[in-house]
Amino acid sequence: VAIQCFLEFKREKVLPAYFINELQTCIEEDDIDGAIDVCEREDLPIARIMGHAFSRYDGGASKMGDAIVEASDEEANTWNVKIAWLSLIGGTAPMLGLFGTVSGMITAFDQISKSAGTASPEMLAKGIMEALVTTYIGLFVAIPTLFAYQIIKNKMNTLIIEQNNACSDLLDRATQQ
C-alpha cells in the first residue's frame, strides 16, 4: 500500500504539465467544449475536478467554483481512503502484538501452575518467547507503516493544495475570457 501511494502521489502524475497546458490553450481559445473533451479523455483527479467545473460554465464563476470545491473534496476523500489502510495497519499491528504477548504470558503462567510453582526457565521459555516475538512483530509492522502513513499524508495534503491552486488559476483564466 505504501509503495503504491509513493508511486501514485507524485506531482508529475497528479498535475501533469501537458494537461494543464492543454486546458490553458482551450481556455485562451475560448473553447470550453474542447476543455471538457480534454478533461473527459484523461484519467486524472484534476481532469475530473475541472471537467466538473467546466460542465457548469454557463452558471458563471460562482457555480464553477462550487463545482471545483465539490469535486476536489471527492478526490481528496478517494485519496484518504487509499492511505487509511496504512493507518489501520499501523494501529492494529501493535494490538495484535499485544494479543500475542498476553497469549504468551498465559502459556508461561500455565506452566507455572502445572508445575506447582517449580517451573524451570526452560518450561517458561516457550510462553515468554511467544510474548516477545509477537510484540516484536507487531512493532516491526506498526512503526514503519505509521511512518510511511505520515509521510504520504503530508505529501498528499501538499498535492491537494497544489491541485486546488491549479484549479483556481484555471478557473480565473476561464472566467476572465
Side-chain angles (χ1 to χ4, degrees):
V1 174
I3 292 168
Q4 178 188 8
C5 289
F6 276 120
L7 294 174
E8 188 175 331
F9 297 140
K10 291 183 172 184
R11 188 176 199 292
E12 58 272 7
K13 284 194 168 194
V14 174
L15 298 168
Y18 75 88
F19 174 78
I20 293 172
N21 291 338
E22 272 189 84
L23 273 187
Q24 287 174 341
T25 300
C26 289
I27 290 167
E28 288 167 5
E29 295 172 357
D30 201 25
D31 183 11
I32 300 308
D33 289 333
I36 291 171
D37 289 342
V38 168
C39 292
E40 287 177 351
R41 76 171 176 250
E42 293 293 335
D43 185 26
L44 298 166
I46 192 170
R48 289 186 287 276
I49 294 168
M50 291 309 299
H52 195 60
F54 286 127
S55 71
R56 295 190 186 171
Y57 182 78
D58 291 336
S62 176
K63 293 289 185 190
M64 289 179 73
D66 291 346
I68 286 174
V69 170
E70 291 168 13
S72 181
D73 286 348
E74 287 178 27
E75 292 298 328
N77 186 55
T78 300
W79 290 2
N80 276 309
V81 167
K82 287 180 184 180
I83 68 167
W85 285 104
L86 293 173
S87 179
L88 178 65
I89 292 166
T92 305
M95 295 297 107
L96 292 172
L98 180 59
F99 184 78
T101 301
V102 171
S103 173
M105 295 310 293
I106 289 170
T107 300
F109 281 107
D110 185 49
Q111 287 298 320
I112 292 171
S113 70
K114 285 180 181 175
S115 68
T118 60
S120 67
E122 293 83 21
M123 294 172 73
L124 301 176
K126 179 182 177 196
I128 293 171
M129 183 171 168
E130 178 184 334
L132 292 173
V133 167
T134 56
T135 301
Y136 174 81
I137 291 171
L139 293 173
F140 183 80
V141 170
I143 292 168
T145 302
L146 290 173
F147 188 75
Y149 169 75
Q150 196 59 49
I151 290 171
I152 292 167
K153 185 172 177 75
N154 290 343
K155 177 75 170 170
M156 184 188 77
N157 287 337
T158 299
L159 287 171
I160 288 171
I161 290 168
E162 289 181 28
Q163 179 175 266
N164 289 344
N165 290 340
C167 290
S168 293
D169 290 345
L170 289 166
L171 172 65
D172 289 345
R173 289 174 188 242
T175 56
Q176 289 175 0
Q177 291 294 330

